[in-house]
Amino acid sequence: MDMFEQQFEKDRLREAPLAARMRPSGFDEFVGQERIVGKGRVLRKAIESNRLPSIVLWGPPGSGKTTLAYIVASVTDSFFAPVSAVSAGVADLRRIIEQAKERRKMNRQRTILFIDEIHRFNKAQQDAILPFVEDGTVTLVGATTENPSFEVISPLLSRCQVFTLKPLGADELRIIIYRALKDSLRGLGALKAEMNDEAMEHLIAMSNNDARAALNILEMSVMTTPPDAGGRRQVSLETIEDTIQHRALAYDKAGEQHFDTISALHKSMRGSDPDASLYWLGRMLEAGEDPLYIARRLVRFASEDVGMADPQALVVAMAAQQAVHFIGMPEGNLALAEAAVYLATAPKSNSLYTAYSQVQEEIKKGTSQSVPLHLRNPVTPLMKGMGYGRDYKYAHDYDGHFVKQQNLPDGLQGKRFYTPGDQGYEKQVVERLKGWWQEKGKEKPG
């Protein structure tokens, strides 16, 4: 690299966004993902020993996928060839592969092919690199925010190890932000920027677990804060609010308000109040709560409080979870709102919750109840000789596809766990069970 190239590189780094300047070049600076790249973990050892297999890094934006790829470039002795699936085509891939072949032949040097947003490659583009991943011409490192099971072709996926990255937590984001504030060479330390606790917590909440977003917001906030008489830039909550155009709400994602507000949402839906349900949902979403956390609570509510009164409730709640996962936020907020209103206005029943709680209590008693012989599968002649499956009645051979027989263990005959309610769909369940099991006042057998 000559003096002009060196100056160009310095200028490029100086003008790059804060997130790019603060990108770690080694594991000593990398924050998060201890489960896969902590000391002694397989992926870290593979990278450090320059024996990395083809991998796909799957995780949300700002979780460290691209950073890990650049650590691979920094730590290994391999040639690093990065491309973006947004702009690269088959011709670019073929050129990289031909260069990799020459490099391998002349210098015996491996080539790491890093494909950012690999889910954007179509089947033809993925097919183009498949043979060269298989024969080792290139070692693939793919990064994706989408489930690789759906977005990466099966033959390519079978030749890669998938590593799942988790969203960064508040403590991890706090470390990253503090480093950027203090670093005088790559960060904002030379500007003597400081941030109070309120501003820090709001920045963390609104970054949505995305380190890149947090650093972008931080940089703009610092650059637009004038220095005081002592030359220090005091970044306030108002500055963060103005930067991201979002007012801070009184909400602590990790503390009492978090649990109080989700409790209010749950109880409002249970109380069949769609207006209050929407309000508490909005309070959480607009304060930066993890939308998938809310979706999980809606799914639980669908089974616990609506249950068999409207089995469709679980379908709606799961559809909302999938919608949020698929399109993200803020577009996913209406899917959650739709689910919350549906659950609030659905008929309610806790019969499933009560029934399963009774089952749990029965099992906790420690009694081991044997499966009745007629319900056991006679998979061997010996089992058949012992009476397995004897006298079992195949329901489809009888009128109405129903026949009375004992299904519970001998010690639990006559035990009733599930008692349907009188709301919604369970009215039909009540009539159906009566028609099957009650005849001239007789109760359902075990």
Side-chain angles (χ1 to χ4, degrees):
M1 183 181 293
D2 60 29
M3 58 181 290
F4 296 106
E5 290 176 323
Q6 289 177 344
Q7 186 60 43
F8 174 79
E9 185 66 15
K10 288 180 181 178
D11 292 342
R12 187 188 68 80
L13 288 174
R14 186 174 62 251
E15 295 169 3
L18 178 63
R21 301 199 308 270
M22 291 300 299
R23 177 167 283 135
S25 58
F27 286 113
D28 56 331
E29 294 181 342
F30 189 77
V31 178
Q33 313 306 337
E34 287 288 323
R35 184 176 53 84
I36 60 172
V37 292
K39 288 185 177 180
R41 294 292 182 175
V42 170
L43 180 57
R44 179 164 176 171
K45 289 194 293 186
I47 294 171
E48 291 178 333
S49 63
N50 198 27
R51 299 185 65 83
L52 182 70
S54 289
I55 62 172
V56 172
L57 301 171
W58 171 31
S63 56
K65 301 183 298 297
T66 303
T67 296
L68 273 177
Y70 277 91
I71 288 177
V72 170
S74 174
V75 173
T76 69
D77 296 326
S78 304
F79 183 87
F80 190 71
V83 297
S84 171
V86 175
S87 56
V90 172
D92 300 299
L93 295 174
R94 286 174 177 163
R95 174 178 52 79
I96 291 172
I97 288 166
E98 287 304 315
Q99 292 173 349
K101 289 179 179 178
E102 289 299 314
R103 198 175 295 114
R104 191 179 185 187
K105 184 188 301 181
M106 301 296 294
N107 305 324
R108 303 187 63 82
Q109 185 183 28
R110 298 171 66 204
T111 297
I112 301 289
L113 171 59
F114 172 54
I115 304 178
D116 196 14
E117 300 191 80
I118 192 173
H119 60 274
R120 293 180 181 269
F121 268 169
N122 58 34
K123 184 178 184 297
Q125 290 167 312
Q126 294 185 41
D127 279 337
I129 62 172
L130 176 60
F132 309 102
V133 171
E134 184 171 22
D135 69 12
T137 300
V138 294
T139 299
L140 174 65
V141 176
T144 177
T145 57
E146 303 295 330
N147 189 331
S149 300
F150 303 123
E151 305 297 339
V152 179
I153 60 174
S154 296
L156 185 57
L157 195 62
S158 69
R159 290 159 176 81
C160 299
Q161 178 71 40
V162 177
F163 290 94
T164 304
L165 280 68
K166 300 296 183 183
L168 295 178
D171 291 339
E172 293 163 335
L173 286 173
R174 194 174 290 108
I175 291 171
I176 293 170
I177 293 168
Y178 271 128
R179 281 183 180 174
L181 285 170
K182 300 301 180 184
D183 192 314
S184 297
L185 294 177
R186 297 177 299 163
L188 304 168
L191 299 176
K192 299 180 180 179
E194 298 176 353
M195 181 180 294
N196 61 40
D197 290 342
E198 279 187 317
M200 174 69 75
E201 295 310 311
H202 188 49
L203 170 57
I204 291 171
M206 298 313 300
S207 65
N208 200 27
N209 308 104
D210 185 333
R212 186 185 298 107
L215 291 176
N216 288 340
I217 296 168
L218 174 65
E219 183 173 30
M220 181 174 286
S221 300
V222 170
M223 299 306 292
T224 55
T225 299
D228 59 19
R232 298 190 175 279
R233 300 180 187 232
Q234 304 289 342
V235 180
S236 65
L237 172 61
E238 291 73 19
T239 302
I240 298 295
E241 289 177 334
D242 189 41
T243 301
I244 59 181
Q245 294 294 294
H246 194 293
R247 181 175 172 271
L249 300 176
Y251 183 77
D252 177 7
K253 285 168 62 176
E256 184 177 355
Q257 289 172 326
H258 163 85
F259 297 105
D260 287 347
T261 311
I262 194 64
S263 176
L265 172 61
H266 199 122
K267 290 180 171 65
S268 296
M269 292 190 297
R270 181 182 291 154
S272 301
D273 188 336
D275 299 302
S277 300
L278 280 174
Y279 174 75
W280 295 118
L281 173 71
R283 276 282 296 272
M284 288 187 289
L285 289 177
E286 297 305 314
E289 179 61 81
D290 178 6
L292 289 177
Y293 166 76
I294 299 173
R296 289 193 294 271
R297 294 304 298 260
L298 295 182
V299 170
R300 170 68 183 192
F301 182 93
S303 297
E304 180 180 339
D305 286 277
V306 177
M308 288 295 292
D310 183 359
Q312 188 68 18
L314 183 58
V315 178
V316 171
M318 284 303 302
Q321 184 272 336
Q322 286 296 303
V324 170
H325 178 72
F326 180 64
I327 63 175
M329 296 297 288
E331 292 85 353
N333 57 10
L334 287 183
L336 293 174
E338 180 178 345
V341 170
Y342 188 97
L343 295 173
T345 55
K348 307 297 188 295
S349 172
N350 68 343
S351 59
L352 283 178
Y353 178 79
T354 302
Y356 194 74
S357 296
Q358 292 179 14
V359 169
Q360 287 178 311
E361 288 301 316
E362 186 67 42
I363 293 171
K364 286 177 183 176
K365 291 178 182 177
T367 55
S368 181
Q369 301 283 347
S370 299
V371 176
L373 282 175
H374 67 281
L375 295 183
R376 303 185 194 185
N377 244 2
V379 295
T380 68
L382 175 62
M383 291 177 176
K384 189 171 183 179
M386 294 173 62
Y388 282 34
R390 185 181 301 157
D391 299 326
Y392 170 68
K393 299 173 183 177
Y394 186 60
H396 296 293
D397 289 340
Y398 296 83
D399 291 341
H401 299 260
F402 172 80
V403 60
K404 290 184 179 180
Q405 66 182 328
Q406 176 188 339
N407 296 308
L408 280 171
D410 293 339
L412 293 177
Q413 284 196 65
K415 183 74 174 181
R416 181 70 60 84
F417 294 111
Y418 173 59
T419 302
D422 58 359
Q423 299 296 308
Y425 176 75
E426 280 196 305
K427 291 180 181 178
Q428 300 178 42
V429 175
V430 169
E431 294 304 314
R432 196 175 297 149
L433 289 174
K434 282 182 179 179
W436 285 334
W437 292 106
Q438 292 185 13
E439 181 183 359
K440 296 181 182 180
K442 292 183 180 179
E443 286 293 318
K444 170 189 169 186

